mmCIF file of all heavy atoms in Angstrom:
data_model
loop_
_atom_site.group_PDB
_atom_site.id
_atom_site.type_symbol
_atom_site.label_atom_id
_atom_site.label_comp_id
_atom_site.label_asym_id
_atom_site.label_seq_id
_atom_site.Cartn_x
_atom_site.Cartn_y
_atom_site.Cartn_z
ATOM 1 N N PHE A 182 43.684 -25.172 14.658
ATOM 2 C CA PHE A 182 44.939 -25.821 15.049
ATOM 3 C C PHE A 182 45.024 -26.166 16.530
ATOM 4 O O PHE A 182 46.039 -26.695 16.979
ATOM 5 C CB PHE A 182 46.116 -24.917 14.663
ATOM 6 C CG PHE A 182 46.197 -24.609 13.197
ATOM 7 C CD1 PHE A 182 45.898 -23.337 12.718
ATOM 8 C CD2 PHE A 182 46.547 -25.590 12.284
ATOM 9 C CE1 PHE A 182 45.968 -23.045 11.365
ATOM 10 C CE2 PHE A 182 46.617 -25.323 10.930
ATOM 11 C CZ PHE A 182 46.328 -24.044 10.473
ATOM 12 N N GLY A 183 43.973 -25.869 17.308
ATOM 13 C CA GLY A 183 44.001 -26.171 18.728
ATOM 14 C C GLY A 183 44.945 -25.281 19.508
ATOM 15 O O GLY A 183 45.602 -25.729 20.452
ATOM 16 N N ARG A 184 45.007 -24.023 19.173
ATOM 17 C CA ARG A 184 45.876 -23.070 19.844
ATOM 18 C C ARG A 184 45.053 -22.141 20.746
ATOM 19 O O ARG A 184 43.833 -22.121 20.697
ATOM 20 C CB ARG A 184 46.653 -22.229 18.821
ATOM 21 C CG ARG A 184 47.414 -23.053 17.800
ATOM 22 C CD ARG A 184 48.617 -23.774 18.421
ATOM 23 N NE ARG A 184 49.221 -24.716 17.496
ATOM 24 C CZ ARG A 184 50.059 -24.387 16.526
ATOM 25 N NH1 ARG A 184 50.396 -23.118 16.360
ATOM 26 N NH2 ARG A 184 50.583 -25.307 15.736
ATOM 27 N N LEU A 185 45.741 -21.356 21.566
ATOM 28 C CA LEU A 185 45.116 -20.355 22.445
ATOM 29 C C LEU A 185 44.115 -20.983 23.405
ATOM 30 O O LEU A 185 43.102 -20.375 23.772
ATOM 31 C CB LEU A 185 44.424 -19.262 21.610
ATOM 32 C CG LEU A 185 45.288 -18.572 20.539
ATOM 33 C CD1 LEU A 185 44.463 -17.605 19.720
ATOM 34 C CD2 LEU A 185 46.467 -17.860 21.201
ATOM 35 N N GLY A 186 44.366 -22.244 23.807
ATOM 36 C CA GLY A 186 43.495 -22.924 24.752
ATOM 37 C C GLY A 186 42.205 -23.439 24.159
ATOM 38 O O GLY A 186 41.291 -23.833 24.910
ATOM 39 N N MET A 187 42.090 -23.497 22.849
ATOM 40 C CA MET A 187 40.871 -23.957 22.185
ATOM 41 C C MET A 187 41.055 -25.382 21.674
ATOM 42 O O MET A 187 42.175 -25.839 21.454
ATOM 43 C CB MET A 187 40.527 -23.026 21.015
ATOM 44 C CG MET A 187 40.349 -21.573 21.401
ATOM 45 S SD MET A 187 39.935 -20.529 19.967
ATOM 46 C CE MET A 187 40.312 -18.898 20.630
ATOM 47 N N PRO A 188 39.939 -26.106 21.465
ATOM 48 C CA PRO A 188 40.037 -27.474 20.933
ATOM 49 C C PRO A 188 40.457 -27.475 19.469
ATOM 50 O O PRO A 188 40.146 -26.535 18.729
ATOM 51 C CB PRO A 188 38.610 -28.017 21.095
ATOM 52 C CG PRO A 188 37.736 -26.805 21.097
ATOM 53 C CD PRO A 188 38.538 -25.737 21.782
ATOM 54 N N GLU A 189 41.156 -28.517 19.052
ATOM 55 C CA GLU A 189 41.590 -28.636 17.664
ATOM 56 C C GLU A 189 40.479 -29.288 16.834
ATOM 57 O O GLU A 189 40.213 -30.482 16.956
ATOM 58 C CB GLU A 189 42.870 -29.469 17.564
ATOM 59 C CG GLU A 189 43.416 -29.580 16.150
ATOM 60 C CD GLU A 189 44.715 -30.367 16.085
ATOM 61 O OE1 GLU A 189 45.284 -30.672 17.160
ATOM 62 O OE2 GLU A 189 45.160 -30.666 14.963
ATOM 63 N N LEU A 190 39.833 -28.509 15.985
ATOM 64 C CA LEU A 190 38.705 -28.995 15.187
ATOM 65 C C LEU A 190 39.025 -29.107 13.705
ATOM 66 O O LEU A 190 38.172 -29.545 12.928
ATOM 67 C CB LEU A 190 37.498 -28.063 15.382
ATOM 68 C CG LEU A 190 36.975 -27.902 16.815
ATOM 69 C CD1 LEU A 190 35.807 -26.916 16.838
ATOM 70 C CD2 LEU A 190 36.562 -29.244 17.395
ATOM 71 N N GLY A 191 40.198 -28.709 13.268
ATOM 72 C CA GLY A 191 40.528 -28.758 11.856
ATOM 73 C C GLY A 191 39.722 -27.733 11.064
ATOM 74 O O GLY A 191 39.386 -26.657 11.558
ATOM 75 N N ALA A 192 39.375 -28.092 9.825
ATOM 76 C CA ALA A 192 38.647 -27.169 8.950
ATOM 77 C C ALA A 192 37.305 -26.759 9.540
ATOM 78 O O ALA A 192 36.827 -25.641 9.312
ATOM 79 C CB ALA A 192 38.457 -27.814 7.582
ATOM 80 N N GLU A 193 36.678 -27.648 10.309
ATOM 81 C CA GLU A 193 35.402 -27.328 10.953
ATOM 82 C C GLU A 193 35.536 -26.108 11.869
ATOM 83 O O GLU A 193 34.586 -25.316 12.025
ATOM 84 C CB GLU A 193 34.930 -28.534 11.763
ATOM 85 C CG GLU A 193 33.607 -28.336 12.477
ATOM 86 C CD GLU A 193 33.223 -29.546 13.314
ATOM 87 O OE1 GLU A 193 33.938 -30.576 13.245
ATOM 88 O OE2 GLU A 193 32.205 -29.456 14.032
ATOM 89 N N GLY A 194 36.712 -25.930 12.477
ATOM 90 C CA GLY A 194 36.927 -24.811 13.373
ATOM 91 C C GLY A 194 36.797 -23.464 12.692
ATOM 92 O O GLY A 194 36.415 -22.465 13.327
ATOM 93 N N ALA A 195 37.105 -23.404 11.381
ATOM 94 C CA ALA A 195 36.956 -22.147 10.646
ATOM 95 C C ALA A 195 35.494 -21.732 10.588
ATOM 96 O O ALA A 195 35.158 -20.549 10.698
ATOM 97 C CB ALA A 195 37.529 -22.291 9.241
ATOM 98 N N GLY A 196 34.592 -22.705 10.428
ATOM 99 C CA GLY A 196 33.165 -22.408 10.393
ATOM 100 C C GLY A 196 32.646 -21.921 11.728
ATOM 101 O O GLY A 196 31.877 -20.951 11.808
ATOM 102 N N LEU A 197 33.063 -22.591 12.821
ATOM 103 C CA LEU A 197 32.625 -22.185 14.156
ATOM 104 C C LEU A 197 33.165 -20.802 14.509
ATOM 105 O O LEU A 197 32.448 -19.965 15.073
ATOM 106 C CB LEU A 197 33.088 -23.214 15.191
ATOM 107 C CG LEU A 197 32.794 -22.880 16.663
ATOM 108 C CD1 LEU A 197 31.310 -22.652 16.887
ATOM 109 C CD2 LEU A 197 33.322 -23.995 17.569
ATOM 110 N N GLY A 198 34.433 -20.540 14.180
ATOM 111 C CA GLY A 198 35.026 -19.240 14.465
ATOM 112 C C GLY A 198 34.290 -18.113 13.763
ATOM 113 O O GLY A 198 34.027 -17.056 14.349
ATOM 114 N N THR A 199 33.929 -18.325 12.497
ATOM 115 C CA THR A 199 33.194 -17.310 11.746
ATOM 116 C C THR A 199 31.810 -17.088 12.333
ATOM 117 O O THR A 199 31.335 -15.951 12.439
ATOM 118 C CB THR A 199 33.086 -17.717 10.270
ATOM 119 O OG1 THR A 199 34.401 -17.864 9.727
ATOM 120 C CG2 THR A 199 32.329 -16.667 9.468
ATOM 121 N N CYS A 200 31.141 -18.168 12.742
ATOM 122 C CA CYS A 200 29.807 -18.075 13.341
ATOM 123 C C CYS A 200 29.842 -17.199 14.594
ATOM 124 O O CYS A 200 29.022 -16.279 14.758
ATOM 125 C CB CYS A 200 29.287 -19.473 13.666
ATOM 126 S SG CYS A 200 27.695 -19.498 14.527
ATOM 127 N N LEU A 201 30.784 -17.465 15.477
ATOM 128 C CA LEU A 201 30.892 -16.693 16.716
ATOM 129 C C LEU A 201 31.213 -15.226 16.435
ATOM 130 O O LEU A 201 30.673 -14.313 17.075
ATOM 131 C CB LEU A 201 31.968 -17.305 17.613
ATOM 132 C CG LEU A 201 31.671 -18.718 18.143
ATOM 133 C CD1 LEU A 201 32.889 -19.272 18.882
ATOM 134 C CD2 LEU A 201 30.446 -18.728 19.048
ATOM 135 N N ALA A 202 32.082 -14.980 15.451
ATOM 136 C CA ALA A 202 32.463 -13.607 15.130
ATOM 137 C C ALA A 202 31.291 -12.819 14.559
ATOM 138 O O ALA A 202 31.144 -11.618 14.822
ATOM 139 C CB ALA A 202 33.629 -13.609 14.147
ATOM 140 N N MET A 203 30.427 -13.470 13.754
ATOM 141 C CA MET A 203 29.269 -12.787 13.179
ATOM 142 C C MET A 203 28.315 -12.301 14.269
ATOM 143 O O MET A 203 27.807 -11.177 14.230
ATOM 144 C CB MET A 203 28.529 -13.717 12.217
ATOM 145 C CG MET A 203 29.273 -14.072 10.940
ATOM 146 S SD MET A 203 29.658 -12.662 9.884
ATOM 147 C CE MET A 203 31.417 -12.503 10.211
ATOM 148 N N PHE A 204 28.064 -13.138 15.269
ATOM 149 C CA PHE A 204 27.175 -12.736 16.369
ATOM 150 C C PHE A 204 27.822 -11.644 17.221
ATOM 151 O O PHE A 204 27.126 -10.745 17.713
ATOM 152 C CB PHE A 204 26.818 -13.947 17.226
ATOM 153 C CG PHE A 204 25.669 -14.745 16.675
ATOM 154 C CD1 PHE A 204 25.894 -15.968 16.064
ATOM 155 C CD2 PHE A 204 24.368 -14.272 16.756
ATOM 156 C CE1 PHE A 204 24.843 -16.712 15.540
ATOM 157 C CE2 PHE A 204 23.315 -15.007 16.235
ATOM 158 C CZ PHE A 204 23.547 -16.228 15.628
ATOM 159 N N ALA A 205 29.139 -11.696 17.387
ATOM 160 C CA ALA A 205 29.834 -10.632 18.115
ATOM 161 C C ALA A 205 29.696 -9.303 17.375
ATOM 162 O O ALA A 205 29.486 -8.245 17.995
ATOM 163 C CB ALA A 205 31.308 -10.993 18.296
ATOM 164 N N GLY A 206 29.772 -9.335 16.046
ATOM 165 C CA GLY A 206 29.587 -8.133 15.251
ATOM 166 C C GLY A 206 28.197 -7.550 15.402
ATOM 167 O O GLY A 206 28.028 -6.330 15.515
ATOM 168 N N THR A 207 27.185 -8.419 15.427
ATOM 169 C CA THR A 207 25.810 -7.956 15.625
ATOM 170 C C THR A 207 25.661 -7.256 16.963
ATOM 171 O O THR A 207 25.010 -6.205 17.069
ATOM 172 C CB THR A 207 24.822 -9.137 15.544
ATOM 173 O OG1 THR A 207 24.969 -9.798 14.282
ATOM 174 C CG2 THR A 207 23.381 -8.668 15.696
ATOM 175 N N ALA A 208 26.266 -7.824 17.996
ATOM 176 C CA ALA A 208 26.194 -7.211 19.330
ATOM 177 C C ALA A 208 26.859 -5.834 19.331
ATOM 178 O O ALA A 208 26.340 -4.881 19.942
ATOM 179 C CB ALA A 208 26.855 -8.129 20.360
ATOM 180 N N MET A 209 27.989 -5.705 18.633
ATOM 181 C CA MET A 209 28.669 -4.411 18.568
ATOM 182 C C MET A 209 27.837 -3.379 17.818
ATOM 183 O O MET A 209 27.735 -2.215 18.237
ATOM 184 C CB MET A 209 30.048 -4.581 17.918
ATOM 185 C CG MET A 209 31.077 -5.286 18.805
ATOM 186 S SD MET A 209 32.747 -5.320 18.078
ATOM 187 C CE MET A 209 32.582 -6.715 16.947
ATOM 188 N N TYR A 210 27.243 -3.785 16.705
ATOM 189 C CA TYR A 210 26.364 -2.880 15.958
ATOM 190 C C TYR A 210 25.191 -2.417 16.825
ATOM 191 O O TYR A 210 24.814 -1.243 16.825
ATOM 192 C CB TYR A 210 25.805 -3.580 14.718
ATOM 193 C CG TYR A 210 26.687 -3.519 13.504
ATOM 194 C CD1 TYR A 210 27.090 -4.681 12.848
ATOM 195 C CD2 TYR A 210 27.088 -2.300 12.965
ATOM 196 C CE1 TYR A 210 27.872 -4.635 11.712
ATOM 197 C CE2 TYR A 210 27.879 -2.248 11.831
ATOM 198 C CZ TYR A 210 28.268 -3.412 11.205
ATOM 199 O OH TYR A 210 29.044 -3.365 10.082
ATOM 200 N N LEU A 211 24.599 -3.357 17.569
ATOM 201 C CA LEU A 211 23.441 -3.050 18.401
ATOM 202 C C LEU A 211 23.797 -2.013 19.466
ATOM 203 O O LEU A 211 23.057 -1.037 19.676
ATOM 204 C CB LEU A 211 22.920 -4.332 19.061
ATOM 205 C CG LEU A 211 21.680 -4.205 19.946
ATOM 206 C CD1 LEU A 211 20.486 -3.735 19.137
ATOM 207 C CD2 LEU A 211 21.370 -5.548 20.604
ATOM 208 N N ILE A 212 24.923 -2.208 20.120
ATOM 209 C CA ILE A 212 25.355 -1.278 21.175
ATOM 210 C C ILE A 212 25.628 0.107 20.591
ATOM 211 O O ILE A 212 25.201 1.134 21.141
ATOM 212 C CB ILE A 212 26.597 -1.826 21.894
ATOM 213 C CG1 ILE A 212 26.239 -3.100 22.678
ATOM 214 C CG2 ILE A 212 27.186 -0.778 22.830
ATOM 215 C CD1 ILE A 212 27.443 -3.856 23.214
ATOM 216 N N LEU A 213 26.317 0.156 19.460
ATOM 217 C CA LEU A 213 26.664 1.439 18.847
ATOM 218 C C LEU A 213 25.420 2.195 18.379
ATOM 219 O O LEU A 213 25.283 3.402 18.619
ATOM 220 C CB LEU A 213 27.609 1.211 17.664
ATOM 221 C CG LEU A 213 28.062 2.456 16.906
ATOM 222 C CD1 LEU A 213 28.871 3.371 17.814
ATOM 223 C CD2 LEU A 213 28.877 2.061 15.685
ATOM 224 N N THR A 214 24.490 1.492 17.731
ATOM 225 C CA THR A 214 23.303 2.144 17.191
ATOM 226 C C THR A 214 22.334 2.550 18.289
ATOM 227 O O THR A 214 21.575 3.507 18.137
ATOM 228 C CB THR A 214 22.600 1.200 16.184
ATOM 229 O OG1 THR A 214 23.570 0.661 15.274
ATOM 230 C CG2 THR A 214 21.552 1.942 15.377
ATOM 231 N N TRP A 215 22.354 1.836 19.417
ATOM 232 C CA TRP A 215 21.456 2.130 20.521
ATOM 233 C C TRP A 215 21.650 3.553 21.050
ATOM 234 O O TRP A 215 20.701 4.195 21.509
ATOM 235 C CB TRP A 215 21.671 1.112 21.640
ATOM 236 C CG TRP A 215 20.785 1.305 22.839
ATOM 237 C CD1 TRP A 215 21.138 1.803 24.061
ATOM 238 C CD2 TRP A 215 19.392 1.012 22.919
ATOM 239 N NE1 TRP A 215 20.057 1.826 24.895
ATOM 240 C CE2 TRP A 215 18.963 1.345 24.224
ATOM 241 C CE3 TRP A 215 18.467 0.490 22.013
ATOM 242 C CZ2 TRP A 215 17.648 1.181 24.641
ATOM 243 C CZ3 TRP A 215 17.154 0.333 22.426
ATOM 244 C CH2 TRP A 215 16.758 0.669 23.725
ATOM 245 N N HIS A 216 22.865 4.065 20.931
ATOM 246 C CA HIS A 216 23.145 5.414 21.425
ATOM 247 C C HIS A 216 22.466 6.488 20.574
ATOM 248 O O HIS A 216 22.362 7.636 21.000
ATOM 249 C CB HIS A 216 24.652 5.667 21.466
ATOM 250 C CG HIS A 216 25.373 4.848 22.499
ATOM 251 N ND1 HIS A 216 25.182 5.028 23.856
ATOM 252 C CD2 HIS A 216 26.277 3.837 22.391
ATOM 253 C CE1 HIS A 216 25.928 4.177 24.533
ATOM 254 N NE2 HIS A 216 26.602 3.439 23.673
ATOM 255 N N ARG A 217 21.984 6.120 19.374
ATOM 256 C CA ARG A 217 21.284 7.072 18.513
ATOM 257 C C ARG A 217 19.778 6.827 18.493
ATOM 258 O O ARG A 217 19.070 7.397 17.665
ATOM 259 C CB ARG A 217 21.805 6.973 17.077
ATOM 260 C CG ARG A 217 23.201 7.541 16.901
ATOM 261 C CD ARG A 217 23.655 7.423 15.463
ATOM 262 N NE ARG A 217 24.888 8.170 15.265
ATOM 263 C CZ ARG A 217 24.939 9.433 14.861
ATOM 264 N NH1 ARG A 217 23.827 10.085 14.605
ATOM 265 N NH2 ARG A 217 26.091 10.046 14.707
ATOM 266 N N ARG A 218 19.277 6.019 19.396
ATOM 267 C CA ARG A 218 17.869 5.619 19.333
ATOM 268 C C ARG A 218 16.919 6.816 19.449
ATOM 269 O O ARG A 218 15.879 6.859 18.798
ATOM 270 C CB ARG A 218 17.561 4.591 20.426
ATOM 271 C CG ARG A 218 17.679 5.119 21.857
ATOM 272 C CD ARG A 218 17.619 3.964 22.867
ATOM 273 N NE ARG A 218 17.580 4.442 24.245
ATOM 274 C CZ ARG A 218 18.619 4.888 24.933
ATOM 275 N NH1 ARG A 218 19.802 4.922 24.343
ATOM 276 N NH2 ARG A 218 18.495 5.293 26.170
ATOM 277 N N GLY A 219 17.276 7.806 20.300
ATOM 278 C CA GLY A 219 16.391 8.949 20.477
ATOM 279 C C GLY A 219 16.415 9.874 19.280
ATOM 280 O O GLY A 219 15.390 10.431 18.892
ATOM 281 N N GLN A 220 17.582 10.023 18.667
ATOM 282 C CA GLN A 220 17.742 10.953 17.556
ATOM 283 C C GLN A 220 17.120 10.437 16.262
ATOM 284 O O GLN A 220 16.488 11.191 15.524
ATOM 285 C CB GLN A 220 19.233 11.229 17.330
ATOM 286 C CG GLN A 220 19.528 12.257 16.253
ATOM 287 C CD GLN A 220 21.013 12.487 16.083
ATOM 288 O OE1 GLN A 220 21.827 11.883 16.778
ATOM 289 N NE2 GLN A 220 21.374 13.353 15.160
ATOM 290 N N HIS A 221 17.269 9.153 15.989
ATOM 291 C CA HIS A 221 16.830 8.599 14.712
ATOM 292 C C HIS A 221 15.704 7.574 14.830
ATOM 293 O O HIS A 221 15.249 7.057 13.812
ATOM 294 C CB HIS A 221 18.014 7.953 13.977
ATOM 295 C CG HIS A 221 19.052 8.941 13.547
ATOM 296 N ND1 HIS A 221 20.310 8.556 13.102
ATOM 297 C CD2 HIS A 221 19.030 10.302 13.486
ATOM 298 C CE1 HIS A 221 21.016 9.640 12.794
ATOM 299 N NE2 HIS A 221 20.263 10.703 13.021
ATOM 300 N N GLY A 222 15.282 7.239 16.037
ATOM 301 C CA GLY A 222 14.151 6.331 16.202
ATOM 302 C C GLY A 222 14.487 4.853 16.168
ATOM 303 O O GLY A 222 13.610 4.022 15.925
ATOM 304 N N PHE A 223 15.734 4.480 16.453
ATOM 305 C CA PHE A 223 16.114 3.068 16.431
ATOM 306 C C PHE A 223 15.374 2.289 17.526
ATOM 307 O O PHE A 223 15.429 2.648 18.707
ATOM 308 C CB PHE A 223 17.623 2.932 16.623
ATOM 309 C CG PHE A 223 18.110 1.514 16.714
ATOM 310 C CD1 PHE A 223 17.852 0.616 15.698
ATOM 311 C CD2 PHE A 223 18.828 1.077 17.819
ATOM 312 C CE1 PHE A 223 18.296 -0.698 15.772
ATOM 313 C CE2 PHE A 223 19.287 -0.229 17.906
ATOM 314 C CZ PHE A 223 19.016 -1.116 16.887
ATOM 315 N N LEU A 224 14.683 1.234 17.135
ATOM 316 C CA LEU A 224 13.897 0.367 18.014
ATOM 317 C C LEU A 224 12.789 1.126 18.764
ATOM 318 O O LEU A 224 12.239 0.610 19.743
ATOM 319 C CB LEU A 224 14.797 -0.377 19.015
ATOM 320 C CG LEU A 224 15.824 -1.341 18.414
ATOM 321 C CD1 LEU A 224 16.592 -2.059 19.515
ATOM 322 C CD2 LEU A 224 15.165 -2.339 17.478
ATOM 323 N N ARG A 225 12.475 2.329 18.306
ATOM 324 C CA ARG A 225 11.379 3.097 18.899
ATOM 325 C C ARG A 225 10.218 3.262 17.918
ATOM 326 O O ARG A 225 9.065 3.376 18.333
ATOM 327 C CB ARG A 225 11.871 4.473 19.343
ATOM 328 C CG ARG A 225 12.765 4.430 20.580
ATOM 329 C CD ARG A 225 13.011 5.818 21.116
ATOM 330 N NE ARG A 225 13.699 5.776 22.399
ATOM 331 C CZ ARG A 225 13.926 6.835 23.156
ATOM 332 N NH1 ARG A 225 13.505 8.033 22.764
ATOM 333 N NH2 ARG A 225 14.566 6.717 24.305
ATOM 334 N N ILE A 226 10.543 3.298 16.642
ATOM 335 C CA ILE A 226 9.508 3.436 15.617
ATOM 336 C C ILE A 226 9.121 2.048 15.139
ATOM 337 O O ILE A 226 9.943 1.322 14.581
ATOM 338 C CB ILE A 226 10.010 4.284 14.436
ATOM 339 C CG1 ILE A 226 10.406 5.679 14.919
ATOM 340 C CG2 ILE A 226 8.939 4.378 13.360
ATOM 341 C CD1 ILE A 226 11.038 6.535 13.841
ATOM 342 N N ARG A 227 7.870 1.675 15.378
ATOM 343 C CA ARG A 227 7.403 0.356 14.949
ATOM 344 C C ARG A 227 7.298 0.327 13.418
ATOM 345 O O ARG A 227 6.716 1.238 12.813
ATOM 346 C CB ARG A 227 6.046 0.061 15.565
ATOM 347 C CG ARG A 227 5.490 -1.314 15.206
ATOM 348 C CD ARG A 227 4.160 -1.562 15.886
ATOM 349 N NE ARG A 227 4.302 -1.506 17.343
ATOM 350 C CZ ARG A 227 3.274 -1.619 18.180
ATOM 351 N NH1 ARG A 227 2.041 -1.768 17.705
ATOM 352 N NH2 ARG A 227 3.487 -1.570 19.478
ATOM 353 N N PRO A 228 7.850 -0.708 12.776
ATOM 354 C CA PRO A 228 7.761 -0.788 11.312
ATOM 355 C C PRO A 228 6.308 -0.822 10.840
ATOM 356 O O PRO A 228 5.518 -1.651 11.272
ATOM 357 C CB PRO A 228 8.470 -2.117 10.989
ATOM 358 C CG PRO A 228 9.381 -2.347 12.141
ATOM 359 C CD PRO A 228 8.650 -1.809 13.343
ATOM 360 N N ARG A 229 5.959 0.119 9.975
ATOM 361 C CA ARG A 229 4.607 0.175 9.423
ATOM 362 C C ARG A 229 4.514 -0.725 8.201
ATOM 363 O O ARG A 229 5.513 -1.070 7.571
ATOM 364 C CB ARG A 229 4.256 1.620 9.050
ATOM 365 C CG ARG A 229 4.427 2.614 10.196
ATOM 366 C CD ARG A 229 4.005 4.018 9.748
ATOM 367 N NE ARG A 229 4.314 5.012 10.772
ATOM 368 C CZ ARG A 229 5.400 5.750 10.794
ATOM 369 N NH1 ARG A 229 6.307 5.596 9.843
ATOM 370 N NH2 ARG A 229 5.606 6.639 11.767
ATOM 371 N N ALA A 230 3.278 -1.068 7.855
ATOM 372 C CA ALA A 230 3.068 -1.948 6.699
ATOM 373 C C ALA A 230 3.641 -1.328 5.429
ATOM 374 O O ALA A 230 4.276 -2.011 4.614
ATOM 375 C CB ALA A 230 1.578 -2.234 6.522
ATOM 376 N N ARG A 231 3.455 -0.011 5.277
ATOM 377 C CA ARG A 231 3.974 0.657 4.078
ATOM 378 C C ARG A 231 5.496 0.616 4.043
ATOM 379 O O ARG A 231 6.096 0.415 2.983
ATOM 380 C CB ARG A 231 3.480 2.103 4.050
ATOM 381 C CG ARG A 231 3.903 2.868 2.797
ATOM 382 C CD ARG A 231 3.317 4.272 2.803
ATOM 383 N NE ARG A 231 3.756 5.016 1.631
ATOM 384 C CZ ARG A 231 3.439 6.276 1.381
ATOM 385 N NH1 ARG A 231 2.652 6.937 2.250
ATOM 386 N NH2 ARG A 231 3.873 6.890 0.307
ATOM 387 N N SER A 232 6.122 0.814 5.216
ATOM 388 C CA SER A 232 7.577 0.774 5.289
ATOM 389 C C SER A 232 8.109 -0.618 4.960
ATOM 390 O O SER A 232 9.114 -0.765 4.248
ATOM 391 C CB SER A 232 8.042 1.201 6.688
ATOM 392 O OG SER A 232 9.454 1.141 6.786
#
Side-chain angles (χ1 to χ4, degrees):
F182 301 109
R184 307 289 171 80
L185 307 175
M187 303 180 197
E189 183 178 351
L190 301 178
E193 180 183 354
L197 176 57
T199 301
C200 176
L201 295 173
M203 292 298 105
F204 276 106
T207 303
M209 288 186 279
Y210 274 124
L211 182 63
I212 293 169
L213 180 63
T214 312
W215 181 254
H216 292 293
R217 288 180 170 268
R218 65 191 186 282
Q220 184 180 0
H221 294 167
F223 176 57
L224 297 183
R225 288 190 172 187
I226 300 174
R227 182 178 300 176
R229 306 182 187 96
R231 183 177 178 182
S232 179

